[in-house]
């Protein structure tokens, strides 16, 4: 089993390039199902989750030529619409094939995603919306069986909660539906915008892209043609994670290939902690605070502060100069990193969905365990400033969503090595 061994105390310097966004690439790969011709994707992140979803497409009969950061996918050869448990249980985002398979083929069977460390993460809103579009949904033996033999019908969908995956599934389902679908209370994340742009570029009329109200004019069952290659947008969470690395180690580092608009919430909070920034067209340099100030965070949907940055900021707050408060509003169990950070010497207390982070003078290396993707990166950040050596186990969580994290940190001067035990 791989682990990361990190010796804390090094200053970082230099620059790295941010990879394509995992959470944009996943719906884009799923959306290729809407076409029966070749689609070219570029700037894919080289991470496990992308390889898993592409493996799933292969199992459905897709022809995929996948190199590290590019893929040419032809779904003209799909001969199965069953997404099996073995794959879906590895990655819950596989549920994003539900909408495209159903709207293209009129029926599909997708395993219910398994549980997840950060919360129950139900898909009730996805299923309710598809039923409103005329699908017959049955849950049996751990599978969602969906049928719409005459195709899906445009409908008015009001989401009780803002759901990124739910919005993405319905946008894809609506693309080939008969008539217009309106989604009210839609997610506005940049990853949702990229998906809408990709489908719109293929000729589907979508109004309201980037807003909470989307209107999609379906093709009535006609598959799409994606003429131009889709270049995945930069990963705003990866970028935010490395900005936190600069802040916590009090280092000046530069990130290339970022979209500054997408990371405004993280920039704003790091500025409130005393950091400053120099920005060029698509790069950003962090000038660290001499003395990190405490921070108060409430996670919310985009463009608010992202839940996927909560753990990383908690690590930075641990060594700031006062008490910080972090309220997690999106997931019911996204504080698994707290007990691990406390093993490194942090002093964090939980009350319901709020964490109080009391500052400590120093952290000390220990053996810690990653529990989920973003928690893992928070432990790595803390290890960069802990005295001595830290061992971060179960880093398969990290490999799902960070492209060569130890390589990028090493190139900045961190003492970090991947080992096996
Ligand atoms: C996406 O997950 C991201 N994953 C998550 O990133 C991210 O944390 C999340 O959005 C919120 O921004 C991908 O894009 C692949 P949601 P998703 O549906 O779509 C509840 C990472 O670290 N809900 O917006 O699953 C749900 O339980 C991952 O990269 C329902 O109740 O998130 C949650 O509390 C972690 N019923 C809230 O809504 C539903 O049918 C937001 O979930 C759907 C969701």
């Amino acid at each position: 089993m791989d682990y990361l061994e990190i010796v804390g105390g090094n200053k970082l310097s230099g620059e790295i390039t941010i990879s394509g966004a995992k959470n944009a690439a996943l719906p884009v790969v799923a959306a290729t199902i809407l076409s029966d011709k070749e689609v070219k994707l570029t700037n894919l992140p080289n991470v496990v989750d992308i390889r898993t979803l592409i493996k799933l497409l292969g199992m459905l009969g897709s022809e995929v030529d996948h190199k590290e950061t590019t893929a040419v996918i032809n779904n003209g050869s799909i001969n199965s619409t069953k997404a099996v448990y073995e794959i879906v249980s590895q990655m819950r985002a596989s549920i994003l094939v539900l909408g495209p398979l159903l709207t293209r083929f009129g029926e599909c069977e997708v395993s219910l995603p398994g549980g997840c460390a950060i919360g129950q993460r139900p898909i009730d809103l996805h299923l309710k919306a598809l039923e409103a579009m005329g699908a017959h949904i049955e849950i049996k033996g751990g599978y969602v069986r969906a049928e719409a033999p005459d195709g899906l019908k445009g409908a008015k969908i009001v989401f009780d909660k803002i759901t990124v995956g739910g919005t993405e599934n319905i946008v894809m389902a609506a693309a080939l539906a008969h008539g217009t679908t309106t989604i009210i209370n839609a997610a506005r994340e940049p990853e949702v915008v990229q998906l809408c742009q990709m489908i719109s570029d293929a000729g589907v009329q979508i109004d309201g892209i980037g807003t909470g109200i989307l209107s999609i004019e379906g093709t009535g069952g006609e598959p799409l043609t994606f003429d131009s290659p889709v270049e995945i947008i930069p990963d705003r969470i990866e970028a935010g994670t490395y900005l936190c690395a600069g802040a916590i180690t009090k280092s000046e580092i530069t990130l290339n290939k970022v979209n500054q608009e997408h990371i405004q919430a993280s920039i704003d909070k790091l500025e409130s902690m005393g950091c400053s920034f120099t920005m060029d067209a698509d790069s950003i340099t962090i000038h660290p605070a001499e003395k990190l100030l405490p921070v108060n965070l409430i996670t919310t949907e985009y463009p608010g502060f992202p839940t996927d940055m909560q753990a990383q900021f908690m690590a930075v707050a641990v060594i700031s100069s006062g008490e910080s408060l972090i309220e997690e509003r999106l997931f019911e169990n996204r504080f698994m990193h707290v007990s691990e950070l406390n093993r490194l010497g942090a002093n964090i207390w939980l009350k319901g969905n709020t964490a109080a982070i009391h500052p400590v003078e120093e952290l000390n290396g220990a053996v810690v365990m990653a529990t989920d993707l973003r928690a893992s990166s928070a432990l790595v950040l803390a290890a960069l400033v802990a005295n001595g050596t830290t061992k971060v186990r179960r880093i398969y969580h990290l490999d799902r969503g960070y492209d060569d994290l130890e390589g990028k940190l090493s190139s900045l001067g961190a003492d970090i090595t991947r080992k096996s035990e």
Side-chain angles (χ1 to χ4, degrees):
M1 183 89 83
D2 284 4
Y3 66 91
L4 287 176
E5 185 171 273
I6 299 152
V7 179
N10 287 14
K11 280 273 186 229
L12 307 181
S13 65
E15 55 186 278
I16 55 171
T17 299
I18 296 301
S19 300
K22 162 182 85 82
N23 290 350
L26 290 169
V28 163
V29 168
T32 63
I33 293 171
L34 299 172
S35 175
D36 56 358
K37 302 179 193 67
E38 260 189 14
V39 195
K40 188 165 170 41
L41 310 180
T42 63
N43 199 39
L44 290 169
N46 185 15
V47 297
V48 169
D49 273 8
I50 300 305
R51 292 195 285 276
T52 302
L53 188 56
I54 284 182
K55 187 174 155 197
L56 170 56
L57 286 193
M59 291 169 76
L60 299 178
S62 297
E63 281 161 25
V64 185
D65 176 12
H66 179 211
K67 305 252 183 327
E68 287 195 346
T69 61
T70 62
V72 178
I73 301 176
N74 188 328
N75 291 308
S77 52
I78 284 186
N79 52 30
S80 161
T81 58
K82 181 168 184 175
V84 293
Y85 174 74
E86 288 66 29
I87 286 273
V88 179
S89 57
Q90 290 173 40
M91 185 194 57
R92 55 178 308 96
S94 309
I95 197 65
L96 291 174
V97 303
L98 175 61
L101 284 175
L102 181 58
T103 201
R104 168 120 181 259
F105 298 104
E107 55 89 29
C108 64
E109 212 174 341
V110 179
S111 167
L112 274 170
C116 170
I118 64 176
Q120 189 213 341
R121 301 182 74 183
I123 57 166
D124 56 310
L125 302 179
H126 301 231
L127 302 182
K128 211 169 88 177
L130 289 172
E131 284 177 326
M133 296 174 77
H136 173 70
I137 304 270
E138 184 191 12
I139 292 182
K140 208 165 152 197
Y143 279 78
V144 174
R145 177 150 183 73
E147 289 175 343
D150 304 325
L152 292 172
K153 301 188 307 300
K156 185 176 86 167
I157 310 288
V158 182
F159 275 129
D160 299 343
K161 275 180 170 179
I162 292 175
T163 160
V164 170
T167 302
E168 290 165 346
N169 243 332
I170 300 310
V171 165
M172 291 187 280
L176 306 190
H178 298 264
T180 303
T181 300
T182 305
I183 304 173
I184 294 167
N185 204 20
R188 298 183 286 163
E189 274 66 5
E191 298 77 23
V192 176
V193 171
Q194 167 143 55
L195 175 67
C196 291
Q197 207 57 59
M198 170 192 182
I199 292 173
S200 166
D201 291 349
V204 172
Q205 178 65 36
I206 303 185
D207 297 323
I209 295 178
T211 76
I213 299 180
L214 293 171
S215 172
I216 303 112
E217 181 64 47
T219 64
E222 190 56 37
L224 304 185
T225 303
F226 298 109
D227 283 322
S228 42
V230 182
E231 180 181 345
I232 302 302
I233 59 172
D235 192 320
R236 61 193 170 100
I237 304 303
E238 184 194 19
T241 303
Y242 287 109
L243 291 179
C244 286
I248 200 169
T249 59
K250 295 188 170 46
S251 308
E252 184 169 290
I253 57 174
T254 296
L255 311 183
N256 297 317
K257 276 188 90 171
V258 299
N259 179 316
Q260 284 151 33
E261 184 191 333
H262 296 168
I263 56 174
Q264 274 312 313
S266 294
I267 290 171
D268 174 64
K269 285 301 177 185
L270 286 171
E271 283 174 339
S272 75
M273 297 177 84
C275 301
S276 61
F277 297 90
T278 309
M279 297 184 233
D280 290 332
D282 68 349
S283 70
I284 184 170
T285 300
I286 180 169
H287 308 289
E290 260 317 297
K291 183 169 169 252
L292 275 169
L293 302 172
V295 68
N296 289 336
L297 295 178
I298 299 176
T299 65
T300 185
E301 293 84 2
Y302 190 86
F305 186 86
T307 175
D308 291 351
M309 284 302 306
Q310 179 254 105
Q312 298 90 311
F313 267 80
M314 188 180 288
V316 181
V318 161
I319 57 158
S320 69
S321 56
E323 179 175 279
S324 298
L325 285 176
I326 296 182
E327 185 183 341
E328 171 55 59
R329 280 207 177 150
L330 270 76
F331 290 106
E332 63 269 30
N333 187 34
R334 201 167 194 174
F335 283 138
M336 307 277 280
H337 41 285
V338 167
S339 46
E340 298 302 312
L341 287 169
N342 285 343
R343 286 179 47 67
L344 292 167
N347 183 9
I348 307 167
W349 296 85
L350 291 180
K351 189 164 174 50
N353 64 352
T354 299
I357 300 99
H358 305 287
V360 293
E361 286 302 314
E362 60 180 12
L363 295 174
N364 292 299
V367 178
V368 290
M369 185 180 76
T371 51
D372 57 270
L373 173 55
R374 307 304 174 184
S376 323
S377 62
L379 297 177
V380 171
L381 293 175
L384 293 175
V385 294
N387 300 323
T389 301
T390 296
K391 225 167 142 179
V392 181
R393 287 189 163 144
R394 300 195 183 182
I395 53 166
Y396 54 84
H397 290 293
L398 260 180
D399 296 338
R400 294 189 46 187
Y402 283 98
D403 186 347
D404 191 19
L405 179 123
E406 70 267 22
K408 292 184 180 182
L409 282 175
S410 293
S411 73
L412 293 171
D415 183 343
I416 178 169
T417 319
R418 179 183 286 256
K419 294 187 171 178
S420 280
E421 59 192 346

